[in-house]
Structures are given as C-alpha cells and as structure tokens.
Amino acid sequence: MDTKSLFKERRSVNFFDKSREINDKILQEIVNLAVLAPSAFNLQPWRIIVVRTDESKKRLFDFANKQEKVVEAPITLILVGNKEGYADTNPVWAEMLQSVGNNHEMVDGAKQAAGFLYGSSEERKLKFAESNAGLLAMSIMIAAKEFGVATHPMSGIDFEGIHKGFNLQESETVVMTICMGYYDKSRQLYPRRPRRLFKDIATVV
Ligand SMILES: Cc1cc2nc3c(=O)[nH]c(=O)nc-3n(C[C@H](O)[C@H](O)[C@H](O)COP(=O)(O)O)c2cc1C
C-alpha cells in the first residue's frame, strides 16, 4: 500500500472480528517494522505488553473504562515508556559503543548529554518517555495497516490502574493502549471526521 493510502485508510476501528486471532508472526512483523520509528539518541525508551489472554483482557477492560473493543480485539498493546531510558543500563549504549569502534569518549559524551536533556527534571523525563513511545504508537498503527490489521489507540484509560495492575516499574509510564485485530466489516464505522488543515493549525514565523 502506498504511503498516501496508508494515511487515508487508517482508521480507529471500533469493531473487531472476534473469530480472527492475530498470529504471532504477523504481530512480530508489525512490531519489528514499527521499531524503525525514530527515538532520541536511538534510545528506544519503550516496551510493549501484549494483552492476549482472557484474564489479562478482563483486567485491562476494567482499567479501560469498560470499552468493549478491549475484549473484542484479539490483542491490545500497552505501550510503556521508560522515563529513565537514557540511563547507563539501557543496552542501546553498548550497541552504540560497538558501532563507533569503541570510542568511549564519544559515547560517554552522548550519555552525559542525554542525561541532562532528558533526565534533569520530572517533566523532561515524562516528555522523553511519552514523545518517543508516542512515535512508536503511530508507527505500529501504520505498520499494522500494511498487514491488513486494524487498530484503535486509547488513552481514555486508568493509567495508574494499569501501572499497578500490570506491575510496571516506578521508572515506567503507561503511554497509551492500542487494540489490534481484523475489522468486522459487518459493522459500520462512523464516517471519518474532518481535520483542521495547515491554514488552521500552522503559523509561519
Ligand atoms: C492518544 C489517543 C487516545 C484515544 N483514546 C480513545 C479512547 O479512549 N476511546 C476511543 O473510543 N477512541 C480513542 N481515540 C480515537 C480517536 O477518537 C480517533 O483517533 C479520532 O476520532 C480520529 O478518528 P480516526 O483515527 O478514525 O481517523 C484516541 C486516539 C488517540 C490518538
């Protein structure tokens, strides 16, 4: 599918075919394509919890204001951002060190810069986690479309509840959830609502 069509045809799909699972291979292909999303210093401060079993779906359903699509969709992803993804413990730093021919000075400089830019206040930490994982979210929705898989992003959820209920770490934040599955075409989506265009939202300075 060409890029224009991907954007035009992606919808937040409310109705999922309950008889169709998403197989592991397709899920992995979608995610492995989506992780080509950009991230600050390529730090990829994110992880994904795949909610698939009936028990986990029920748990998430209660934290998602009982939005039916969570139980109808074969899978819902919880996108988790790491507010401390710039830290030394991120394995990306080791990969970066290798890719610059073990130039410690260069990597230490990058670590220091990242620590300052993203870790010097709670606000920066949160922005870091949410902006990067937000790009991953969009990337997943676009990649899914390429595989004929429909998605629905949700932030009308109990973030704190999910944080506790799915045992996230203190340094992590729930960014959003994304239902995934195959569109049940027997049910009609609302027509797509209009968007505000460049002339409405952009200021040239
Ligand atoms: C961050 C985010 C959170 C959203 N949360 C919800 C939600 O909790 N429930 C819901 O029904 N739709 C939710 N939506 C879907 C939007 O309503 C939808 O994207 C918008 O109306 C545009 O429709 P379209 O995606 O089909 O073009 C969310 C979308 C985004 C991007």
Side-chain angles (χ1 to χ4, degrees):
M1 190 182 279
D2 67 277
T3 313
K4 253 192 191 172
S5 306
L6 275 178
F7 275 85
K8 287 185 174 165
E9 291 177 25
R10 183 213 56 80
R11 292 297 314 277
S12 294
V13 167
N14 265 314
F15 311 118
F16 292 95
D17 182 343
K18 286 190 258 183
S19 68
R20 284 185 76 186
E21 291 295 325
I22 295 184
N23 73 44
D24 287 346
K25 185 168 175 284
I26 286 185
L27 176 62
Q28 285 170 24
E29 285 195 54
I30 291 170
V31 171
N32 290 341
L33 186 59
V35 292
L36 293 172
S39 63
F41 286 91
N42 192 39
L43 283 168
Q44 307 159 62
W46 52 53
R47 71 182 177 99
I48 296 169
I49 300 172
V50 180
V51 176
R52 174 173 254 167
T53 65
D54 287 345
E55 182 280 317
S56 326
K57 278 189 192 178
K58 169 78 184 70
R59 202 166 1 135
L60 184 60
F61 176 68
D62 290 337
F63 292 131
N65 289 314
K66 304 201 184 303
Q67 298 191 56
E68 283 295 325
K69 44 192 168 275
V70 172
V71 278
E72 287 188 359
I75 283 173
T76 298
L77 307 181
I78 302 174
L79 263 72
V80 177
N82 184 351
K83 293 186 286 177
E84 294 174 3
Y86 50 82
D88 219 23
T89 45
N90 186 334
V92 168
W93 290 123
E95 175 277 317
M96 194 184 289
L97 186 61
Q98 246 189 342
S99 70
V100 296
N102 273 322
N103 185 335
H104 282 270
E105 211 178 316
M106 183 186 276
V107 173
D108 287 348
K111 273 187 200 173
Q112 223 181 344
F116 171 72
L117 292 168
Y118 307 122
S120 53
S121 72
E122 261 316 302
E123 191 192 0
R124 284 180 181 222
K125 287 180 176 193
L126 196 58
K127 272 190 200 292
F128 170 69
E130 293 194 329
S131 58
N132 287 292
L135 289 172
L136 177 65
M138 188 69 223
S139 200
I140 287 172
M141 291 187 279
I142 294 290
K145 192 80 191 125
E146 178 65 21
F147 289 87
V149 171
T151 54
H152 196 124
M154 287 182 303
S155 62
I157 52 179
D158 173 359
F159 291 95
E160 273 305 304
I162 296 174
H163 195 284
K164 284 201 190 82
F166 285 84
N167 303 315
L168 269 59
Q169 294 181 10
E170 196 53 42
S171 56
E172 295 181 314
T173 184
V174 176
V175 174
M176 73 179 76
T177 52
I178 302 179
C179 298
M180 290 177 89
Y182 295 94
Y183 174 29
D184 173 0
K185 292 192 177 122
S186 69
R187 297 159 83 187
Q188 255 214 315
L189 294 180
Y190 293 116
R192 198 171 214 186
R193 284 159 56 201
R195 299 304 207 257
R196 301 177 68 226
L197 300 177
F198 183 89
K199 66 180 170 46
D200 309 308
I201 61 169
T203 313
V204 181
V205 292

